[in-house]
């Protein structure tokens, strides 16, 4: 009897070991192509991150950590993307990673909207930032080091004047959803009043219309982005509007009372506005 039980236990142990061995083999499988990382079923690819995502010999994991620090607002007040991360940020922005990260944000925003108990009184608004939130300046940044070279207002403003910035498709999904449920979009941007006409043209060219308000920075304003944007949100609230949501790519879009009932932060590893 005792003998039989021991044999059974050994067999069970052998079966478990066998199972865990094959699971481990799956876990350490190295991807053979970049497409492998997009498969949801792929087991953790910890060892594969560097060669897949890195721009150089050692840059991969370091740049991954740097971007996480930026997104979590632990890394602040930086002027340029670290030179060794230019390639990493470029791959991130141009490949599927940025779109995938943006989709997570927008899916959460859509779920939040679906669960809102709306008053439907025409007073409910959603604040959108413009650059890197509604419109993408990636065509410009792709030619200027993905943020690794110092910001040049002259050349950037020339790009803005073309009015050719593409809409960010994930944000557009949210924008259209909000309009369909009667939440009014309000644009609140660090762009200046003199850029109003080209900004309207650019938004319309991208199929974006029907906003309630387009708030631009007035000439002579000297405060920080947080002061400017929170001040404008306060004015909205004072006028009787309820800010049900607020979305931006910068922490300065979503910090400072009144923030809005819920805030959403889109990824932006290319520049920092404090
Ligand atoms: C900024 O861009 C302008 C226009 O392209 C160029 O003439 C100027 O040299 C640039 N400035 C710097 C510091 O690179």
């Amino acid at each position: 009897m005792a003998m039989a039980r021991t044999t059974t236990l050994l067999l069970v142990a052998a079966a478990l070991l066998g199972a865990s061995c094959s699971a481990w083999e799956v876990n350490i499988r190295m991807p053979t192509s970049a497409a492998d990382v997009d498969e949801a079923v792929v087991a953790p690819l910890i060892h594969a991150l560097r060669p897949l995502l890195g721009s150089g010999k050692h840059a991969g994991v370091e740049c991954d950590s740097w971007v996480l620090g930026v997104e979590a607002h632990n890394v602040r007040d930086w002027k340029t993307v670290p030179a060794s991360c230019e390639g990493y940020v470029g791959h991130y922005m141009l490949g599927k990673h940025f779109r995938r990260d943006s989709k997570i944000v927008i899916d959460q925003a859509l779920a939040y909207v679906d669960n809102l108990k709306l008053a439907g009184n025409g007073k409910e608004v959603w604040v959108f930032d413009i650059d890197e939130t509604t419109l993408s300046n990636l065509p410009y940044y792709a030619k200027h080091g993905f943020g690794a070279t110092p910001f040049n207002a002259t050349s950037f403003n020339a790009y803005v004047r073309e009015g050719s910035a593409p809409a960010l498709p994930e944000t557009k999904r949210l924008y259209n959803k909000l309009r369909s449920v009667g939440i009014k979009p309000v644009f609140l941007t660090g762009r200046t009043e003199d850029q109003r006409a080209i900004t309207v043209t650019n938004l319309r060219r991208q199929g974006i219309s029907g906003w309630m308000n387009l708030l631009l920075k007035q000439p002579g304003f000297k405060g920080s982005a947080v002061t400017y944007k929170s001040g404008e949100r306060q004015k909205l609230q004072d006028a009787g509007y309820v800010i049900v949501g607020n979305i931006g790519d910068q922490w300065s879009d979503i910090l400072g009372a009144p923030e809005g009932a819920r805030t959403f932060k889109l990824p932006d590893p290319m520049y920092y506005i404090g």
Side-chain angles (χ1 to χ4, degrees):
M1 270 306 263
M3 192 65 143
R5 201 158 70 214
T6 307
T7 310
T8 308
L9 281 173
L10 279 172
L11 282 171
V12 168
L16 283 171
L17 269 174
S20 67
C21 273
S22 61
W24 179 244
E25 277 161 26
V26 171
N27 277 340
I28 59 168
R29 182 172 66 88
M30 295 290 283
T32 49
S33 76
D36 282 8
V37 286
D38 292 320
E39 299 290 335
V41 293
V42 167
L45 291 170
I46 292 164
H47 304 290
L49 280 174
R50 196 172 67 188
L52 273 173
L53 300 178
S55 57
K57 229 178 176 179
H58 303 293
V61 169
E62 280 173 24
C63 296
D64 202 24
S65 297
W66 180 79
V67 168
L68 181 62
V70 164
E71 294 304 341
H73 212 205
N74 293 315
V75 180
R76 299 184 183 187
D77 299 317
W78 50 278
K79 299 284 177 238
T80 52
V81 169
S84 62
C85 293
E86 177 181 342
Y88 176 86
V89 171
H91 286 296
Y92 173 83
M93 293 303 299
L94 293 172
K96 290 179 182 163
H97 202 164
F98 169 73
R99 178 74 185 264
R100 210 183 329 124
D101 286 353
S102 301
K103 183 178 186 299
I104 294 273
V105 179
I106 299 303
D107 285 346
Q108 293 299 311
L110 293 174
Y112 165 70
V113 172
D114 278 335
N115 285 318
L116 281 174
K117 304 268 179 291
L118 292 170
N121 57 3
K123 288 291 192 183
E124 290 157 326
V125 301
W126 191 291
V127 175
F128 286 81
D129 169 57
I130 292 186
D131 293 295
E132 268 56 64
T133 298
T134 307
L135 298 176
S136 171
N137 300 311
L138 191 53
Y140 174 86
Y141 282 97
K143 288 188 199 153
H144 294 84
F146 296 101
T149 51
F151 180 69
N152 182 331
T154 308
S155 61
F156 181 72
N157 288 335
Y159 166 79
V160 168
R161 278 195 298 276
E162 292 171 15
S164 60
L168 283 161
E170 294 299 328
T171 304
K172 217 172 152 184
R173 277 203 300 141
L174 173 64
Y175 187 93
N176 292 337
K177 166 79 175 187
L178 294 172
R179 290 197 63 213
S180 77
V181 299
I183 299 172
K184 295 174 173 172
V186 171
F187 287 117
L188 174 53
T189 174
R191 289 188 179 200
T192 46
E193 185 60 45
D194 59 299
Q195 294 171 318
R196 180 180 291 276
I198 194 60
T199 300
V200 168
T201 300
N202 197 152
L203 289 167
R204 293 228 169 101
R205 278 179 185 156
Q206 293 299 314
I208 296 166
S209 62
W211 56 84
M212 183 183 92
N213 221 339
L214 168 57
L215 305 169
L216 301 110
K217 211 186 271 181
Q218 297 305 301
F221 183 88
K222 288 281 179 276
S224 70
V226 169
T227 305
Y228 160 61
K229 292 202 164 184
S230 59
E232 293 299 318
R233 290 193 298 272
Q234 185 66 56
K235 286 184 206 166
L236 282 170
Q237 216 170 266
D238 291 346
Y241 292 103
V242 176
I243 303 169
V244 298
N246 175 13
I247 187 164
D249 65 296
Q250 298 289 322
W251 278 85
S252 55
D253 295 327
I254 56 176
L255 289 174
E259 295 87 352
R262 196 166 156 186
T263 60
F264 295 90
K265 166 75 176 69
L266 286 164
D268 184 356
M270 299 190 297
Y271 58 85
Y272 181 90
I273 298 175

